[in-house]
Amino acid sequence: AATSPALLAGRGLGGGVMWHCLTPDAQRNWLQVPGQEIFQTFLPMGDKDAKSGREGAPETIFATYSRGVQTCRDEVVYDFRRDRLLERADDFINDYLAELDRYKRALKKGAVDIDRFADYDRLKWDSTLKKHLSGERETEFDATRVRHSLYRPFCKQWLYFDRLLINSIHQQHYFFPTPQTEAENRVICLTGTGSEKPFMVMMTDLISDLHLVGAGSASQCFPFYTYAEDGTNRRENITDSALEQFRAHYSDERITKWDIFYYIYAVLHQPEYRERFAEALKKELPRVPFAPDFWAYAEAGRQLGALHVDYESAPEYPLREVWAVGKPLNYRVESAMKLRPSSVAGEYVLEVNGSLRLEGIPAAALEYKLGNRSALEWLVEQYRVEDGRDPNGYGGDQYIVQLVKRVVQVSLETLRIVRALPSLF
């Protein structure tokens, strides 16, 4: 450590090895990150300093952003069936209140060590819940706190949206404070920095989970609108300075903040962008370049957003339903679906249950990836019966089969739109 860089650079060591002194760049990279230099010239989507309003922070496209919901007890606050979620949330709250009562009685006898006091057989404790206990915070069961949420790609579940039961809701209560805000707001969710997963992005109109693409990732959410906690005081989240920069660059006053929102969504899907800046995207939040054709990207992003937000109403791809002879008609998943290559080249087969299999799935549909899985593989992973959870309870008996057909269609259409995007550079 006391040796000068000059001596390190000039001193041979064991077989003529030459040592060189390295210093990190402005982004704290010790080794050169491919594409980093040009990446830094793009507009940042968000920045911690800008979000907190610190002086000297860079100008960003979005004023704020937030992680998805971090529950630390998915098995308590999520479920495909609303009735079972309500029952489980009610039981958890009753158990917590009983523990709170026991804690208050224990305090009368002296100081209490929370870690030793907590009954781990009764409740799943985390640091946040222990703070609630030590602060003697009470709560009551409220069925209106149940909300729709995007748990995994193309997988909605019911969520008991309550601060006491959830480790951290982050800023999701400012993005979707009420069910009514889901009708007008949109959020671009993407993998945050340091993720083990490949970069992904998905638009939604729902509260989303921190691990949208599984463990090893932490989603960051960029909303178009933010609100007060009661759903009032709606504000556009794209900054005025970003709007001015886009209008000035393209010499086009017609550009709106919604246009920019959808433009960004298309850029983040662009294969050239993802490949060229793959390493940079692991280090920091996305930065957005000015494409030669703004409106081509804005329109493509609008189409992609409609596909991904309204996937439950997408057309069903015409898969072949093949029924087993002598078995009753059954659209429900009995244990787990199985996706495998077909004997027909370029196709896959999905075994739904012992009675039904879906044939004619184009292999191309599996090329639409979110993280390290295709959209269809996410469905196979999530829509299984296990540990007392039954995905058949979310919609009607044919919901999952219809969803498979729709997600195949969405996947193929996504690929078509993305591959038609013009070059960014």
Side-chain angles (χ1 to χ4, degrees):
T3 306
S4 71
L7 287 175
L8 283 172
R11 183 180 296 167
L13 187 64
V17 175
M18 303 300 292
W19 292 85
H20 297 272
C21 184
L22 298 179
T23 55
D25 61 18
Q27 287 71 47
R28 300 183 180 89
N29 299 310
W30 287 91
L31 300 177
Q32 183 177 2
V33 176
Q36 186 69 37
E37 186 174 347
I38 187 174
F39 192 72
Q40 292 302 310
T41 66
F42 303 154
L43 296 178
M45 281 185 65
D47 179 86
K48 287 184 179 180
D49 290 341
K51 183 168 68 169
S52 60
R54 290 183 183 175
E55 187 177 351
E59 291 186 346
T60 57
I61 298 175
F62 291 88
T64 192
Y65 59 95
S66 170
R67 287 184 165 195
V69 166
Q70 180 178 352
T71 75
C72 289
R73 52 180 67 85
D74 288 6
E75 69 281 0
V76 174
V77 297
Y78 280 115
D79 206 297
F80 286 101
R81 287 177 50 180
R82 188 176 185 274
D83 58 341
R84 292 183 60 173
L85 174 60
L86 289 171
E87 181 181 348
R88 201 162 55 247
D90 192 21
D91 288 344
F92 186 95
I93 290 171
N94 288 331
D95 287 341
Y96 169 78
L97 292 176
E99 285 293 274
L100 178 59
D101 183 61
R102 187 170 69 89
Y103 176 72
K104 290 178 179 179
R105 294 197 306 271
L107 280 177
K108 294 179 181 180
K109 300 177 182 179
V112 177
D113 184 336
I114 294 288
D115 292 328
R116 292 175 179 268
F117 175 86
D119 185 345
Y120 292 89
D121 292 329
R122 191 171 196 175
L123 290 172
K124 183 176 181 180
W125 294 89
D126 61 1
S127 59
T128 301
L129 191 61
K130 289 177 182 178
K131 287 179 181 178
H132 292 321
L133 184 69
S134 63
E136 301 182 30
R137 182 190 170 194
E138 297 186 5
T139 190
E140 60 182 20
F141 174 75
D142 183 355
T144 65
R145 291 176 184 165
V146 174
R147 300 284 301 278
H148 277 105
S149 70
L150 186 67
Y151 181 65
R152 296 290 184 267
F154 303 103
C155 177
K156 294 179 181 179
Q157 290 196 37
W158 295 102
L159 168 68
Y160 193 83
F161 193 49
D162 181 275
R163 280 191 178 91
L164 190 136
L165 277 69
I166 293 173
N167 176 277
S168 180
I169 62 175
H170 295 291
Q171 293 188 39
Q172 294 293 317
H173 57 305
Y174 297 129
F175 300 170
F176 296 106
T178 66
Q180 292 72 31
T181 57
E182 297 166 6
E184 62 184 12
N185 204 11
R186 297 290 183 270
V187 171
I188 295 175
C189 297
L190 49 87
T191 43
T193 58
S195 174
E196 299 173 7
K197 310 292 183 181
F199 180 79
M200 71 71 109
V201 60
M202 188 171 189
M203 190 179 295
T204 182
D205 58 352
L206 300 173
I207 297 165
S208 60
D209 189 75
L210 174 70
H211 302 299
L212 186 59
V213 287
S217 67
S219 65
Q220 294 285 2
C221 307
F222 294 79
F224 186 83
Y225 291 123
T226 60
Y227 306 81
E229 202 165 348
D230 62 357
T232 62
N233 193 27
R234 189 184 77 179
R235 302 174 300 281
E236 294 177 335
N237 189 39
I238 289 182
T239 63
D240 292 338
S241 63
L243 178 63
E244 291 173 5
Q245 288 187 67
F246 271 89
R247 286 179 170 177
H249 179 84
Y250 292 104
S251 300
D252 194 338
E253 292 295 314
R254 297 174 302 163
I255 294 174
T256 68
K257 291 183 179 181
W258 271 117
D259 294 328
I260 295 172
F261 188 77
Y262 288 116
Y263 169 93
I264 291 169
Y265 196 54
V267 168
L268 297 182
H269 277 87
Q270 219 270 2
E272 182 184 10
Y273 176 86
R274 289 194 181 190
E275 181 178 354
R276 187 169 181 178
F277 304 114
E279 292 302 316
L281 289 168
K282 294 178 183 178
K283 302 287 293 183
E284 61 178 296
L285 294 172
R287 290 171 173 265
V288 181
F290 292 119
D293 189 340
F294 173 85
W295 290 108
Y297 274 83
E299 178 55 30
R302 200 176 302 274
Q303 293 175 22
L304 289 169
L307 272 175
H308 301 160
V309 171
D310 300 323
Y311 66 89
E312 287 179 307
S313 58
E316 297 178 21
Y317 188 84
L319 302 179
R320 300 185 296 275
E321 296 183 3
V322 180
W323 297 92
V325 178
K327 292 190 176 182
L329 298 181
N330 180 17
Y331 284 95
R332 296 169 64 86
V333 174
E334 295 173 341
S335 56
M337 296 184 285
K338 297 179 181 178
L339 182 67
R340 58 177 174 80
S342 170
S343 57
V344 179
E347 292 186 358
Y348 276 75
V349 172
L350 181 67
E351 297 177 3
V352 177
N353 53 45
S355 299
L356 171 64
R357 69 177 185 270
L358 301 176
E359 296 184 346
I361 300 172
L366 276 68
E367 295 177 23
Y368 171 42
K369 300 282 187 179
L370 295 118
N372 54 11
R373 289 191 180 102
S374 68
L376 192 55
E377 288 168 322
W378 276 115
L379 294 193
V380 173
E381 169 68 23
Q382 294 299 314
Y383 286 87
R384 61 173 63 203
V385 180
E386 63 179 0
D387 300 329
R389 289 176 175 267
D390 186 356
N392 298 288
Y394 185 80
D397 283 351
Q398 296 190 39
Y399 175 83
I400 297 176
V401 169
Q402 292 172 337
L403 182 61
V404 168
K405 295 176 180 178
R406 289 182 168 125
V407 169
V408 169
Q409 179 67 32
V410 168
S411 299
L412 294 172
E413 188 65 8
T414 297
L415 292 173
R416 182 192 67 78
I417 295 170
V418 168
R419 289 169 177 170
L421 286 170
S423 176
L424 274 174
F425 307 103

